[in-house]
Amino acid sequence: MITRDGLDQIAAEEQARQAEHKQCIRVCTAAGCLSQHSNQVKEALEAAVAEQGREHECHVKGVGCLGLCSHGPLVAVDPDDVLYEHVKPEDATEIVASIGKEPVERIKCPTDVPFFNRQVKIVLENCGIIDPESIEDYIAHDGYQALATALTTMSPAQVIDEVLRSGLRGRGGGGYPTGLKWTTVAKAVSDTKYVICNADEGDPGAFMDRSVLESDPHRVLEGMAIAAYAVGAQKGYVYVRAEYPIAIERLKSAIRAARRAGLLGRNILGTDFDFDVELRLGAGAYVCGEETALMASIEGRRGTPRPRPPYPADYGLWGEPTLINNVETFANIAPIINRGSEWFASIGTENCKGTKVFALAGQITNTGLIEVPMGITLREIVYEIGGGVPNGKEVKAVQTGGPSGGCIPAEYLDMPVDFESLKQLGSMMGSGGMIVMDSSASMVGVAKYFMEFSMSESCGKCIPCRVGTAQMYNLLTKINNGEATYRDLELLKELCDLVRNASLCGLGQSAPQPVLSTLRYFEHEYLDKLIDGPLAMAPAEIEGQEA
Amino acid sequence: MAIRRQTRGVIKTLKIDGRDIGAHEDETILDLCRENGIPLPTLCQLEGLTAPGACRLCLVEVKGWNRLVPACVTYPEEGMEITTNSERLQKYRRQIVELLFSEGNHVCAVCVANGNCELQTLAQELGVDHIRYPNLHIPRVVDMTHDRFVNDQNRCILCTRCVRVCAEVEGAHTWDIQGRGINSHCISDLAKPWGESETCTSCGKCVNVCPTGALVEKGRPAGDVRKRQDFLHYLTKMREARR
């Protein structure tokens, strides 16, 4: 059994071990770079280090996401503070030879650019720094200190109070105050309670949770353990989609390592607190990200949502009070406990504290993972951090919130990014997918794309969502093909109203959102495609005038 | 899953359509409407089975709430003011029925359940006389492998009454739903033909609770399909008494 002193000892030993090597080559082994064969790069670098006889001073380490996915595979060299992009195995010898000397200019990636220096990292602070497969490395970076602090010096009520005062809001999309959610579960009367981490990230173009799990899995486990202590739960589940094999592998090894180290299981850190975590894999259903469907799926039933109330805090997994938070929410907990709620509350805006991780995708120069303080403007994200649209094109719209969100047109790029502002614009924060579209994007096409997604991911339980999304998809196809009339557009609008207000769960209720937001800002694109729309009618009118 | 509240004998007072109503806190809004003769359409709900809250026909407005709530799974709160019959609700109900008609083969004139169909009755009550949405023409099967019964999935509205009555009352759980979204459909056992089902007891409960002509007895002339649902009430009462 490990105690707090033992934790410090592991940290000291690991730091000493790492200090033996003067140089460290960090190779991104998260899914983005791996898909471009960063594992081969890593092997080549290891071989090059061995060949040049520098094993004693240079250590090659596989790390999590280095952020700039579009420039992968990425390799960072310490202490030279050099980042290399698009690295190929052939570059290994040259890179290793250059350490301590002039960097290889050919593949050097500039790091003094807004993409790197405009970010504020809390959730991602260990990403790309530590080896996700090494619990010692995590502990050497203050890992599990927050859990130790909570267990040994704070009461559960104090932990909740700290989270409440930090102003942290759920990062899964809804933005419900995390501390308040914890209070409701803590106050529920039951001997058995559960903590669930929702890692069923499924929005098209979103990969925040995946990167966190691939890069820093212990951070999530630590957050869950602190939450379990705060609400009085003994058992936790991470519900992660099966499409994330690397995240699953690293989570599994993290859970094993934490159990071995006595950081999960019985009498954690020598206290009487017991908590263990199990993994549950989703079978590819987007709707299982909805909390009641997720719980049904964990219970082994068909993953369909049920009406709320009762809420999970009241009646959750197997009928017991259950706390469900998203990956990113849990990843924020340890820093809040370590550095205090005041520090956390000093970042962000009045109502939205802290940072948000976004997955930048679409027509943007710097595709990748970023973490920015709440309240930053979309313009800063897109033009400064994201580097704008390639080929000199203009931004037409930014899609946030995935299939539940909407398209924000370019004229609102100066709006601050927080839960309320995005909602006011007819979109939503969502879990953090951000897709940038340039002038060539067809907004009807975008709406149709997301409707196809909602239609095929509808569980089929309630009628408005099951049949409504299919009818809306058909209408959007008809409009997009230029075969529709005003009447079809009216039917579409009417269905949006029904599906939004009458569907059972969040998937259905938000499914019309991409249509509604594109109709709000780009209605002319719909009208232009109608058989009896202004564009189709125009030539006839002109002819009429001539006659 | 049934999520029933514990009865503690607490009485709440509320207003439904302007009428003052006293209620036990474990009665649903739908129970109260039925008790007080306030009509509210339903399709998936059936007394004696758990309510999934899925058909969305019994949605009602509650003053001060920004969401519509299904009456079948909503419990009374002190001072609630409920509207069951606004123009908006009626419009949604008609749309839902229209969507159901557009989903399957619901041509009453050629249906064995013509005249004994809850969907048909509902459409008449709500004044749905034509369907504005084109039919989706979803390929579904007709299973006639069972000795006594027919399952025509084209007439199924996925209310899941058969699934629930079989699992909750008969205890066989022969039926369940396969596929998702618009491709959802009822299956027996692990998608075996009904006639080859090893769990089906041929009790006919599913046929009797089916609101449409999807599950019917073989050999009945059109228009002579009678669904007998009072057994459910009787069975539930008997079981309660025995406990």
Side-chain angles (χ1 to χ4, degrees):
Chain A
M1 190 172 54
I2 195 174
T3 59
R4 185 161 201 175
D5 294 338
L7 213 55
D8 294 336
Q9 201 189 330
I10 294 176
E13 282 169 13
E14 176 68 17
Q15 279 156 2
R17 204 183 63 75
Q18 288 183 7
E20 281 172 23
H21 293 98
K22 282 198 207 71
Q23 296 140 2
C24 180
I25 305 178
R26 290 178 282 129
V27 185
C28 174
T29 54
C33 287
L34 259 188
S35 67
Q36 301 182 66
H37 312 295
S38 67
N39 52 342
Q40 289 172 14
V41 173
K42 183 168 173 258
E43 282 165 22
L45 283 164
E46 280 163 350
V49 167
E51 202 178 293
Q52 298 176 24
R54 302 175 69 158
E55 297 104 318
H56 57 285
E57 54 171 11
C58 184
H59 175 56
V60 181
K61 176 156 111 174
V63 295
C65 188
L66 285 161
L68 196 53
C69 304
S70 57
H71 292 231
L74 294 164
V75 172
V77 180
D78 300 325
D80 296 3
D81 200 20
V82 182
L83 185 69
Y84 292 113
E85 60 186 12
H86 303 300
V87 181
K88 294 186 184 64
E90 304 89 270
D91 302 323
T93 317
E94 215 177 329
I95 290 175
V96 175
S98 78
I99 295 175
K101 302 184 196 113
E102 276 302 298
V104 187
E105 283 301 327
R106 183 169 51 84
I107 46 172
K108 193 167 173 268
C109 176
T111 49
D112 55 346
V113 291
F115 183 85
F116 293 102
N117 55 32
R118 285 301 304 273
Q119 294 195 44
V120 176
K121 295 203 172 184
I122 298 174
V123 171
L124 302 178
E125 62 185 350
N126 289 336
C127 294
I129 307 287
I130 65 162
D131 177 358
E133 314 236 21
S134 160
I135 190 170
E136 291 82 10
D137 205 0
Y138 179 66
I139 292 173
H141 288 84
D142 286 340
Y144 290 104
Q145 286 293 336
L147 178 63
T149 307
L151 291 184
T152 55
T153 67
M154 298 167 88
S155 69
Q158 281 172 320
V159 174
I160 294 180
D161 190 50
E162 201 64 21
V163 175
L164 257 179
R165 280 190 293 141
S166 74
L168 176 66
R169 294 169 64 175
R171 296 294 196 251
Y176 191 79
T178 305
L180 191 58
K181 203 184 225 182
W182 288 24
T183 312
T184 55
V185 183
K187 293 219 165 173
V189 186
S190 176
D191 294 335
T192 313
K193 292 181 190 177
Y194 296 99
V195 169
I196 297 175
C197 174
N198 185 347
D200 194 50
E201 176 181 60
D203 292 1
F207 49 91
M208 301 75 55
D209 296 350
R210 188 195 73 202
S211 290
V212 172
L213 293 172
E214 284 174 355
S215 311
D216 198 6
H218 285 287
R219 175 67 87 79
V220 180
L221 296 179
E222 186 179 3
M224 287 178 75
I226 295 170
Y229 173 69
V231 303
Q234 306 79 22
K235 182 89 202 245
Y237 289 91
V238 183
Y239 188 89
V240 54
R241 59 194 303 222
E243 292 92 331
Y244 285 176
I246 303 166
I248 292 164
E249 221 24 75
R250 290 189 184 156
L251 260 176
K252 274 186 187 164
S253 87
I255 292 172
R256 268 198 306 271
R259 275 186 198 147
R260 258 203 312 273
L263 294 160
L264 284 179
R266 292 195 159 271
N267 300 105
I268 294 172
L269 289 164
T271 63
D272 57 2
F273 172 63
D274 305 336
F275 180 65
D276 203 6
V277 173
E278 261 186 62
L279 270 189
R280 283 288 187 278
L281 305 192
Y286 177 72
V287 73
C288 285
E290 199 279 343
E291 56 187 19
T292 57
L294 187 152
M295 292 188 303
S297 177
I298 291 182
E299 290 172 13
R301 293 186 287 122
R302 184 176 154 86
T304 54
R306 61 158 174 80
R308 295 174 305 176
Y311 289 93
D314 221 7
Y315 189 99
L317 195 58
W318 288 296
E320 303 293 351
T322 303
L323 173 74
I324 300 193
N325 277 139
N326 160 272
V327 171
E328 198 184 327
T329 313
F330 281 127
N332 270 304
I333 300 303
I336 290 174
I337 302 295
N338 278 334
R339 278 166 251 173
S341 54
E342 278 168 34
W343 160 78
F344 190 84
S346 70
I347 303 163
T349 65
E350 197 185 337
N351 293 317
C352 298
K353 304 298 185 190
T355 58
K356 179 78 193 85
V357 181
F358 285 102
L360 273 183
Q363 297 301 318
I364 190 153
T365 309
N366 301 328
T367 308
L369 198 67
I370 58 161
E371 183 170 358
V372 289
M374 292 277 190
I376 193 172
T377 64
L378 281 167
R379 188 177 300 282
E380 286 171 283
I381 295 181
V382 173
Y383 281 102
E384 293 184 27
I385 299 174
V389 179
N391 305 326
K393 285 191 180 162
E394 281 298 302
V395 173
K396 183 173 184 181
V398 178
Q399 211 279 346
T400 67
S404 310
C407 295
I408 300 167
E411 61 256 41
Y412 292 101
L413 281 181
D414 289 313
M415 285 293 273
V417 173
D418 61 45
F419 290 102
E420 278 73 26
S421 308
L422 292 183
K423 207 168 174 184
Q424 202 190 321
L425 288 175
S427 184
M428 70 182 284
M429 179 79 88
S431 55
M434 194 174 273
I435 302 169
V436 180
M437 289 172 278
D438 68 18
S439 45
S440 64
S442 150
M443 288 298 136
V444 182
V446 169
K448 185 188 144 197
Y449 169 78
F450 281 109
M451 191 54 71
E452 184 177 12
F453 183 87
S454 294
M455 170 181 77
S456 46
E457 293 298 339
S458 164
C459 74
K461 180 169 176 171
C462 76
I463 303 162
C465 177
R466 181 181 75 229
V467 196
T469 53
Q471 290 288 5
M472 283 198 282
Y473 172 72
N474 288 354
L475 285 166
L476 284 165
T477 309
K478 202 171 168 189
I479 295 171
N480 203 32
N481 292 347
E483 296 159 355
T485 60
Y486 266 113
R487 187 175 162 275
D488 293 312
L489 190 61
E490 286 309 311
L491 278 181
L492 179 68
K493 287 180 183 171
E494 205 188 70
L495 278 171
C496 283
D497 179 44
L498 171 80
V499 177
R500 180 153 83 149
N501 290 303
S503 292
L504 195 160
C505 80
L507 190 151
Q509 286 161 8
S510 59
Q513 219 48 42
V515 182
L516 288 169
S517 82
T518 47
L519 269 173
R520 176 169 161 187
Y521 298 115
F522 303 97
E523 190 175 17
H524 59 95
E525 292 197 22
Y526 284 81
L527 296 177
D528 289 350
K529 284 178 181 284
L530 300 181
I531 299 172
D532 49 358
L535 209 62
M537 295 312 243
E541 276 172 24
I542 293 163
E543 274 171 36
Q545 279 165 8
E546 278 172 359
Chain B
M1 189 174 290
I3 305 162
R4 279 269 163 189
R5 288 192 179 180
Q6 293 294 311
T7 317
R8 287 197 302 259
V10 180
I11 307 294
K12 311 266 179 178
T13 56
L14 62 154
K15 269 191 165 75
I16 302 182
D17 292 342
R19 283 164 65 174
D20 286 312
I21 283 169
H24 283 291
E25 63 171 1
D26 67 336
E27 289 180 291
T28 65
I29 303 298
L30 181 65
D31 292 334
L32 296 171
C33 287
R34 299 230 164 116
E35 198 180 298
N36 290 279
I38 299 165
L40 204 53
T42 54
L43 269 181
C44 64
Q45 188 273 349
L46 192 63
E47 196 61 49
L49 301 178
T50 56
C55 75
R56 318 304 284 171
L57 283 164
C58 70
L59 285 179
V60 293
E61 292 166 1
V62 184
K63 195 176 170 187
W65 294 20
N66 51 13
R67 285 250 158 89
L68 303 175
V69 293
C72 60
V73 290
T74 303
Y75 293 89
E77 285 176 23
E78 190 59 44
M80 255 181 170
E81 286 183 42
I82 291 170
T83 310
T84 67
N85 213 4
S86 69
E87 205 157 295
R88 175 180 175 221
L89 291 172
Q90 285 299 338
K91 181 171 156 256
Y92 287 164
R93 283 170 195 154
R94 281 196 300 272
Q95 274 183 287
I96 290 172
V97 170
E98 276 186 79
L99 285 176
L100 277 178
F101 271 88
S102 79
E103 188 189 19
N105 170 12
H106 300 292
V107 183
C108 302
V110 296
C111 179
V112 284
N114 190 6
N116 292 301
C117 171
E118 289 181 44
L119 181 64
Q120 185 184 31
T121 312
L122 198 61
Q124 286 162 351
E125 283 171 3
L126 291 169
V128 178
D129 44 19
H130 62 284
I131 313 301
R132 293 167 302 158
Y133 312 116
N135 196 286
L136 293 173
H137 297 293
I138 303 152
R140 288 179 175 172
V141 298
V142 181
D143 184 349
M144 299 196 48
T145 54
H146 195 278
D147 292 343
R148 291 169 49 206
F149 311 119
V150 181
N151 175 14
D152 183 351
Q153 297 192 349
N154 299 293
R155 289 171 179 154
C156 174
I157 56 166
L158 292 158
C159 67
T160 69
R161 283 187 191 177
C162 55
V163 178
R164 284 171 286 143
V165 80
C166 190
E168 295 167 13
V169 181
E170 177 64 8
H173 205 143
T174 300
W175 295 113
D176 217 319
I177 305 289
Q178 186 181 44
R180 67 167 90 134
I182 203 70
N183 298 315
S184 310
H185 57 277
C186 264
I187 52 162
S188 41
D189 285 2
L190 293 171
K192 271 186 183 175
W194 193 3
E196 293 169 26
S197 164
E198 285 159 19
T199 57
C200 177
T201 60
S202 301
C203 69
K205 288 188 181 68
C206 52
V207 175
N208 278 306
V209 297
C210 177
T212 68
L215 294 176
V216 288
E217 249 179 278
K218 274 185 181 172
R220 289 261 177 193
D224 193 34
V225 168
R226 297 256 158 71
K227 306 265 176 160
R228 215 172 47 89
Q229 290 174 354
D230 26 329
F231 77 91
L232 201 54
H233 180 72
Y234 171 76
L235 276 182
T236 327
K237 283 278 171 239
M238 287 299 283
R239 281 179 190 176
E240 269 171 20
R242 222 179 272 174
R243 256 182 232 135

